Amino acid sequence: MSLSVTKIKALFGLKLRLIISNMSLMTAPIMAILYVVFMKSIMQSKAPSHVALISLLLGMGLCFNIVMGGIMMTSYPLAEEKEHHTLRVLMTSSITGPEFFIGSLLPPLAIMTVTNLILVPLSGASWSQIHLGNFLLITIITSLTSLVLGYIIGLIANSQTQAGVYSIPMMLILSLIPNFE
């Protein structure tokens, strides 16, 4: 079984356009960026230390982006495709399961990775403080985990509304876990 790069590129382009044009899916990356900028402007003079502020801002921004973005950017479109029966059309076409999975997974992963990289300077961290290789590896692995969880929710849900209802408890649990350290 061989993967067709042409089919994956076509799916990648389609999914990227759909995600970027859907503002409800883009709320997580935008919210992460706005949270970091807003909280930095408010807390800059009140933070106990500069390092603590950078850690808090970067951690919460990444949490918003990875947890909310990963789950929303995969569960909502998959549930929408099921709801409008376009997934059935894709299943009867020549696109294989792995091609669909890879072509649908790469656009949200690219958006989330770019947003994660934007959050580093916005939080006030310098590139010398962060080992870029480890940062990218860890954020990509956690993003992939969140994206796969979103696919599972999208498979379970029959509509976008159900996907939203099913994803909210997961997002709350996963975004609150880092606060219990």
Side-chain angles (χ1 to χ4, degrees):
M1 182 169 131
S2 65
L3 296 175
S4 170
V5 177
T6 307
K7 291 177 188 175
I8 293 174
K9 276 179 54 177
L11 269 172
F12 177 86
L14 173 70
K15 295 289 184 174
L16 187 63
R17 280 192 311 270
L18 289 174
I19 290 173
I20 289 175
S21 66
N22 189 343
M23 280 308 292
S24 66
L25 296 178
M26 290 301 293
T27 55
I30 292 169
M31 204 163 110
I33 290 170
L34 292 177
Y35 173 84
V36 169
V37 170
F38 181 70
M39 293 303 283
K40 184 178 180 185
S41 68
I42 289 175
M43 297 179 68
Q44 210 157 23
S45 63
K46 296 176 177 69
S49 75
H50 185 66
V51 175
L53 177 63
I54 290 171
S55 299
L56 174 75
L57 292 176
L58 186 58
M60 288 303 292
L62 290 172
C63 189
F64 269 134
N65 188 40
I66 291 172
V67 173
M68 286 178 55
I71 292 175
M72 288 171 55
M73 283 189 218
T74 52
S75 66
Y76 289 16
L78 186 60
E80 181 183 14
E81 288 172 350
K82 284 175 59 180
E83 188 176 7
H84 297 298
H85 303 292
T86 55
L87 189 59
R88 185 172 294 149
V89 173
L90 278 173
M91 289 173 20
T92 58
S93 70
S94 63
I95 296 174
T96 63
E99 290 168 346
F100 177 77
F101 183 72
I102 292 169
S104 299
L105 188 75
L106 290 179
L109 182 64
I111 292 168
M112 291 169 62
T113 304
V114 168
T115 306
N116 290 343
L117 290 172
I118 291 170
L119 290 175
V120 172
L122 285 180
S123 67
S126 67
W127 291 106
S128 62
Q129 292 174 309
I130 295 174
H131 187 272
L132 188 60
N134 288 343
F135 178 78
L136 283 174
L137 180 69
I138 291 168
T139 58
I140 287 173
I141 289 172
T142 54
S143 296
L144 286 172
T145 305
S146 181
L147 291 168
V148 170
L149 181 61
Y151 274 128
I152 292 169
I153 291 170
L155 286 173
I156 293 169
N158 292 324
S159 67
Q160 279 186 303
T161 307
Q162 278 186 344
V165 170
Y166 294 158
S167 64
I168 288 175
M170 284 281 128
M171 286 190 281
L172 282 173
I173 291 168
L174 293 175
S175 61
L176 289 177
I177 287 175
N179 295 325
F180 294 126
E181 47 182 291

